[in-house]
Amino acid sequence: MPVIIATDRAGKEHRIEGKSGQSVMLNLREVGGLDIAAICGGSCSCSTCHVYVDEDWMDKVPAQQPDEYEVVEFSSHYQPNSRLSCQIPFSEALDGLKVTLAPEG
Ligand code: FES
């Protein structure tokens, strides 16, 4: 089973056995039990699923679409490696993906 290595807001690392075909957001929240509000339910409009993708994985995750960028760029904690985890479909190809939860707010 492919895994996601996720660092929570306290700096603790979690190894999550992910489900392919679901978004990274759903894997972090539903499978991994991490604190992700996902207020919009994954419809790319709230940015509460904001994560930082490890630099080594930036060119391996599916490309960011313009509508995702328009939402995440206005996050107060935006960085060049910011992504909305609801917009990243998880798959075997992303086995070992490393992300860090962005601060809330
Ligand atoms: S869950 Fe709202 S933008 Fe991802």
Side-chain angles (χ1 to χ4, degrees):
M1 202 173 259
V3 301
I4 301 172
I5 309 297
T7 302
D8 66 22
R9 295 186 189 95
K12 183 181 178 194
E13 195 170 272
H14 302 258
R15 185 180 187 279
I16 299 164
E17 295 195 351
K19 292 183 181 172
S20 293
Q22 289 196 353
S23 69
V24 170
M25 178 275 281
L26 284 174
N27 275 292
L28 296 176
R29 193 175 78 153
E30 306 299 329
V31 182
L34 298 188
D35 180 22
I36 293 184
I39 292 168
C40 76
S43 61
C44 194
S45 59
C46 73
S47 80
T48 60
C49 66
H50 182 186
V51 297
Y52 303 121
V53 173
D54 186 273
E55 297 293 342
D56 291 342
W57 286 91
M58 282 297 286
D59 61 350
K60 300 183 180 80
V61 294
Q64 190 173 50
Q65 299 302 306
D67 58 341
E68 179 191 343
Y69 180 70
E70 286 173 13
V71 174
V72 77
E73 74 169 328
F74 289 110
S75 167
S76 52
H77 301 286
Y78 175 79
Q79 296 180 4
N81 61 338
S82 287
R83 293 293 304 262
L84 297 179
S85 58
C86 70
Q87 299 302 302
I88 305 173
F90 189 58
S91 67
E92 295 279 345
L94 296 181
D95 183 21
L97 174 67
K98 282 187 172 181
V99 299
T100 299
L101 272 60
E104 290 180 302

